[in-house]
Amino acid sequence: MKTQSAKLRYLRITPRKARLVGDLIKGMPVNEAEARLTLLRKRSAKAMLKLLHSAASNAKNNQKMNPDKLFVKELRVEQGPMLKRVLPRARGTATPIQKKMSHIILVLGENLELRPSKYKVIFPKKVKSKERGHEHNHEHEENKGEEKIKEIEKKKEEIKKEERKETPSNKPGFIRRVFSSKSRASK
């Protein structure tokens, strides 16, 4: 059986937290593992998804393996180096802080008896932004934005005018005149 391995080293997530995600995808076909990792809200899921994509593409291009027959054969999360820091506490003491790292080793295998998956996960491709050379197009787009802003401001002014018209009179009432601020009272 052919295998393809990929390593992710010095991931700044504790091994204990990364193992929670790793245990969920052990033994799964690659398509199902991708689907599960995209739906997980753990921070290490994004890193594992990138690692899984890398391993799958390496298996397809380098080993000439069938991507539909790949599954997660082995996934190990090991402890990497630890950054040691201290947190100052009361009376001149200090509490140690351990910032742990993990090394993730992912091994994909090819199972020829594996059924094709019922669904396929499709990731949207990133679209490059327009080039800077087309300045006249950008000016036209900016003018459209300015026009929309002016229209919104006109609508706001119209609403304010309607609110002013709805009041019975623009003169302040008796209580407002009596209890007005000092600047009005002196006039």
Side-chain angles (χ1 to χ4, degrees):
M1 177 191 305
K2 289 182 178 179
T3 59
Q4 175 67 45
S5 65
K7 293 179 183 178
L8 173 62
R9 297 175 53 106
Y10 305 107
L11 178 66
R12 284 282 286 113
I13 297 172
T14 62
R16 186 174 175 181
K17 292 177 182 178
R19 277 188 199 109
L20 290 172
V21 175
D23 291 342
L24 290 174
I25 63 170
K26 276 184 188 175
M28 284 187 140
V30 171
N31 286 339
E32 289 181 27
E34 283 178 353
R36 184 167 278 189
L37 288 174
T38 52
L39 296 175
L40 271 177
R41 294 184 64 204
K42 299 267 186 200
R43 198 167 59 119
S44 58
K46 191 173 183 179
M48 290 228 192
L49 183 64
K50 284 179 77 173
L51 182 66
L52 186 66
H53 280 299
S54 174
S57 63
N58 286 343
K60 179 183 172 187
N61 297 325
N62 300 343
Q63 300 280 339
K64 307 295 183 210
M65 299 166 103
N66 186 0
D68 295 328
K69 303 289 184 182
L70 292 175
F71 74 102
V72 180
K73 183 177 179 183
E74 183 182 350
L75 195 140
R76 290 192 322 263
V77 179
E78 298 172 352
Q79 172 122 13
M82 192 184 319
L83 299 174
K84 296 183 179 181
R85 304 288 183 258
V86 290
L87 182 69
R89 302 305 288 246
R91 298 182 183 185
T93 60
T95 302
I97 295 176
Q98 299 173 341
K99 298 189 175 189
K100 298 179 179 175
M101 294 184 214
S102 20
H103 298 319
I104 302 172
I105 297 121
L106 175 71
V107 179
L108 296 181
E110 187 176 33
N111 187 358
L112 300 175
E113 299 170 2
L114 192 68
R115 295 184 203 148
S117 64
K118 298 175 185 175
Y119 54 89
K120 185 166 184 158
V121 180
I122 299 171
F123 294 95
K125 293 184 178 179
K126 294 180 182 176
V127 180
K128 292 183 180 178
S129 62
K130 295 180 181 179
E131 295 179 32
R132 299 251 180 206
H134 302 290
E135 293 175 7
H136 60 278
N137 290 342
H138 291 292
E139 290 174 7
H140 184 66
E141 291 172 4
E142 289 174 4
N143 291 339
K144 283 184 181 179
E146 291 173 4
E147 291 172 6
K148 288 181 182 179
I149 292 171
K150 289 178 183 177
E151 288 176 18
I152 292 170
E153 289 175 358
K154 286 180 184 177
K155 288 180 183 178
K156 285 182 182 179
E157 289 175 12
E158 290 174 5
I159 292 171
K160 286 181 182 178
K161 287 179 183 177
E162 289 175 8
E163 289 176 356
R164 288 182 199 151
K165 290 178 184 176
E166 291 176 3
T167 57
S169 66
N170 290 339
K171 296 179 181 178
F174 173 76
I175 303 223
R176 271 220 171 138
R177 276 186 269 143
V178 172
F179 297 106
S180 64
S181 62
K182 291 181 181 178
S183 62
R184 288 185 185 173
S186 62
K187 290 181 182 178

